[in-house]
Amino acid sequence: MFNTIKYKDDISEKSKKDYDPLITKKLDQVDVEYLPILSETKSLRNDLKKQIRNFCQMMMMSHLQSPVDIQSELTQHFYQNILDMLNNNYSYDGLSHEKKEQILDYAEKYSMIKLYKFLFCMTLADEEEDLAIQKRIRQLNWVNAKHLDCDIDKTNAQIIELVYKAILELLDMDSATAPQDKLACVVRCCRHIFGVLQGGNNGMKGPASADDFLPVLIFVVLKANPVRLKSNLHYVTRFCNASRLMSGEAGYYFTNLCCAVSFIENINAELLSMNIEEFEQYMNGTLVSDTWDSALIICEGMHQMFEQLALLADLKRRNIMIVEDALKLKNEMSDFKDNFMDQFAVLKEVYTIIDDCDETNNKVAVSIDDYDPLCSSLPTGLSWTMIPQVIQPAERTRTSSSCTDGDSWDIHSAETVSLHSLDACSNIPQENNEIAGSSLEPTIKAQPQLDEIQEISIQGWQIPSIPCETGGKEIINSKINPQ
């Protein structure tokens, strides 16, 4: 029991490790592609996801080591279960036959992309067959269109282009992951081949027959030499919906491709209408077909020439677009300029525009005192420039007998401070002079008119006075600090 659980865990971890972001991105693209179909019924998407999840878990945990035939049968049984669910469930009765086919395609594509790394080229026999067919095609590189009796006009540019497109589509088959995507590459390749048989895109030769189609397909396979050709054919045969391979356009083209590969594997001198000795010399490399080599060189040169012509045509188209855009931009700029000048002329008539240069030249120096309304009441004719003067503090003493916290300072004659050149302001409010809490009450006697500022000594203090208009003298009253 424990061994079984361990084995399942190993498989689960292996599957998680093998998943890569590219597979996840492809699965998301599939969901977006089929989203309109999945939204037809409310429970359809959940039922499909559940069926796909159960099938993938069963394949990864139980049947990865099973034979290829059993895996193919389980896959076909899964497709049948999806179809039975759509036909027998009454919730999906409103779906048409075409929508049910699209839902089946979604289940096939989603599950096969998820299991692609486990199911594609899973045996050594497939790898050996790939190497054998690749070696066989390399030995037959001398075979040309004349040997196969196919009509390919190498001088027609359209036909050469169609041949190269058919080869590229056949090479792209290996890069696809879902079986229907590989079938789609085969279908596009065969459509290009029918275009070659009809004489190009114009269809000058008319419709082609099936007898003419197979030789050209063989020729394309020989010149393409696709990678892992047998593995891709086996993968489509085993895991594609069987109903798609047994009918329709895709089934017909895929059957012809399998016949072309079988012809290449069994090709001989009789099939190419050659004698055996010449055939063996070509196979051994003794003889070389100059016809095909020269034709291949011509085709490659013409192909490159047409690619360069297409590139030049694209550059010419882009150059014309750039010139047209430049002219358009020039016209837009001219219109913008004209519109701006018209609007500027209208605004100029309405509003007066003053040049900043003239305004700068007309500026007059203004003193800061002009903005003070109190300066207008000051007397005229006097110089009011204040010159600061350093005042040295005088030594002073305090009597011990009469000094208390509320007493006055005992000011001696040595403490007299001279205040020189002190400008007086007439607007200073008059207050009582206080010195350290005590008031000065000087006795001022009336004197005659003075034409200049005089100093009055009051108990050792010199206080300036200024003349008044009334002929008297006004004393500046202020609080005086003894220091």
Side-chain angles (χ1 to χ4, degrees):
M1 179 181 66
F2 292 104
N3 291 335
T4 304
I5 295 175
K6 183 178 179 182
Y7 173 74
K8 291 182 179 181
D9 293 339
D10 293 341
I11 294 295
S12 178
E13 292 296 330
K14 181 177 181 300
S15 63
K16 292 180 180 179
K17 184 178 179 180
D18 291 336
Y19 283 155
D20 56 0
L22 182 60
I23 297 296
T24 305
K25 183 178 180 180
K26 289 183 178 180
L27 294 176
D28 295 337
Q29 291 176 355
V30 173
D31 287 334
V32 174
E33 180 182 358
Y34 288 89
L35 182 60
I37 302 300
L38 299 178
S39 302
E40 291 288 337
T41 308
K42 185 176 181 180
S43 61
L44 177 60
R45 185 171 185 176
N46 295 331
D47 294 343
L48 285 175
K49 290 289 186 180
K50 182 178 179 181
Q51 292 280 351
I52 294 171
R53 183 172 60 253
N54 294 336
F55 169 71
C56 294
Q57 291 178 356
M58 178 187 65
M59 292 292 291
M60 288 188 294
M61 292 184 178
S62 304
H63 298 284
L64 285 181
Q65 306 300 328
S66 301
V68 179
D69 296 337
I70 295 178
Q71 294 180 0
S72 178
E73 292 179 1
L74 291 173
T75 304
Q76 299 299 328
H77 185 65
F78 165 69
Y79 297 152
Q80 188 62 37
N81 289 338
I82 296 294
L83 189 59
D84 293 339
M85 180 189 71
L86 296 176
N87 293 329
N88 299 330
N89 194 339
Y90 67 92
S91 300
Y92 310 128
D93 292 339
L95 298 176
S96 61
H97 178 72
E98 290 78 10
K99 292 182 179 180
K100 290 181 181 180
E101 291 293 334
Q102 293 179 1
I103 294 171
L104 184 60
D105 292 343
Y106 167 79
E108 175 186 350
K109 192 171 185 177
Y110 194 95
S111 59
M112 289 299 104
I113 290 176
K114 199 171 184 179
L115 298 173
Y116 179 74
K117 290 187 175 181
F118 306 103
L119 301 180
F120 181 78
C121 193
M122 56 183 305
T123 61
L124 294 176
D126 294 341
E127 296 181 1
E128 292 176 357
E129 291 182 6
D130 290 333
L131 295 176
I133 190 65
Q134 194 171 20
K135 182 180 179 180
R136 181 68 173 176
I137 292 175
R138 288 174 181 173
Q139 292 177 349
L140 296 172
N141 60 356
W142 52 270
V143 177
N144 54 29
K146 184 178 179 181
H147 294 142
L148 298 172
D149 295 331
C150 56
D151 186 12
I152 299 178
D153 187 5
K154 297 183 179 64
T155 61
N156 191 337
Q158 293 182 354
I159 290 179
I160 294 173
E161 187 69 22
L162 290 174
V163 171
Y164 273 101
K165 287 182 179 180
I167 292 174
L168 291 176
E169 291 293 345
L170 200 59
L171 294 175
D172 290 340
M173 182 176 62
D174 186 67
S175 61
T177 52
Q180 57 263 54
D181 292 339
K182 294 182 182 293
L183 276 179
C185 294
V186 175
V187 171
R188 290 192 294 268
C189 172
C190 294
R191 288 177 179 175
H192 292 316
I193 292 175
F194 271 108
V196 173
L197 295 175
Q198 293 173 1
N201 298 327
N202 297 328
M204 295 180 294
K205 294 183 179 180
S209 62
D211 296 336
D212 299 330
F213 169 73
L214 186 58
V216 179
L217 180 59
I218 295 172
F219 176 81
V220 171
V221 174
L222 288 174
K223 303 314 169 186
N225 194 6
V227 182
R228 298 186 293 186
L229 178 58
K230 296 291 288 187
S231 295
N232 283 284
L233 296 179
H234 292 326
Y235 178 74
V236 174
T237 305
R238 294 165 184 167
F239 302 107
C240 185
N241 189 8
S243 61
R244 184 181 289 107
L245 294 179
M246 292 186 294
S247 62
E249 183 183 17
Y252 173 75
Y253 290 147
F254 184 77
T255 303
N256 281 271
L257 179 59
C258 294
C259 294
V261 174
S262 178
F263 178 85
I264 293 172
E265 291 177 339
N266 301 316
I267 197 170
N268 53 28
E270 184 180 359
L271 294 174
L272 296 178
S273 302
M274 299 174 58
N275 56 46
I276 299 176
E277 183 179 359
E278 184 181 4
F279 178 79
E280 293 296 334
Q281 290 178 354
Y282 276 117
M283 293 297 292
N284 296 331
T286 305
L287 294 177
V288 179
S289 177
D290 297 335
T291 306
W292 168 246
D293 292 338
S294 60
L296 184 61
I297 294 173
I298 294 174
C299 292
E300 183 66 22
M302 294 183 67
H303 181 68
Q304 293 180 358
M305 181 184 68
F306 287 122
E307 286 184 350
Q308 296 297 330
L309 290 175
L311 179 61
L312 289 175
D314 183 64
L315 291 176
K316 181 179 179 181
R317 178 184 59 82
R318 294 170 62 183
N319 186 26
I320 293 174
M321 292 177 60
I322 291 173
V323 173
E324 292 178 354
D325 293 340
L327 293 176
K328 182 179 179 181
L329 178 60
K330 183 179 180 180
N331 296 330
E332 290 179 355
M333 293 175 63
S334 178
D335 296 339
F336 174 78
K337 181 180 178 181
D338 296 340
N339 187 17
F340 178 79
M341 295 303 296
D342 295 340
Q343 293 182 3
F344 180 76
V346 173
L347 294 176
K348 190 175 181 180
E349 294 177 357
V350 176
Y351 300 98
T352 302
I353 299 177
I354 301 175
D355 193 357
D356 295 338
C357 297
D358 298 338
E359 185 178 356
T360 305
N361 296 330
N362 295 330
K363 287 183 179 180
V364 181
V366 180
S367 176
I368 191 172
D369 293 336
D370 295 342
Y371 297 97
D372 190 358
L374 300 178
C375 293
S376 60
S377 60
L378 294 175
T380 60
L382 296 176
S383 176
W384 299 101
T385 304
M386 298 181 65
I387 301 175
Q389 184 177 3
V390 180
I391 301 174
Q392 298 294 337
E395 295 181 357
R396 56 188 178 277
T397 59
R398 187 175 184 182
T399 59
S400 59
S401 60
S402 61
C403 286
T404 59
D405 293 338
D407 294 338
S408 303
W409 289 92
D410 184 13
I411 305 173
H412 300 280
S413 60
E415 295 175 330
T416 305
V417 179
S418 177
L419 302 177
H420 298 282
S421 304
L422 181 63
D423 295 333
C425 296
S426 60
N427 293 328
I428 298 177
Q430 297 184 3
E431 298 177 358
N432 294 329
N433 296 326
E434 296 180 359
I435 301 175
S438 63
S439 62
L440 295 176
E441 297 179 356
T443 304
I444 302 174
K445 297 180 180 181
Q447 295 182 2
Q449 297 182 358
L450 297 178
D451 296 335
E452 59 182 1
I453 301 175
Q454 298 179 357
E455 294 181 354
I456 302 175
S457 178
I458 305 174
Q459 295 182 358
W461 293 85
Q462 295 179 354
I463 301 175
S465 61
I466 60 175
C468 300
E469 295 179 357
T470 57
K473 182 165 46 179
E474 183 177 359
I475 299 175
I476 299 176
N477 295 324
S478 62
K479 294 181 180 179
I480 300 176
N481 192 345
Q483 296 179 356

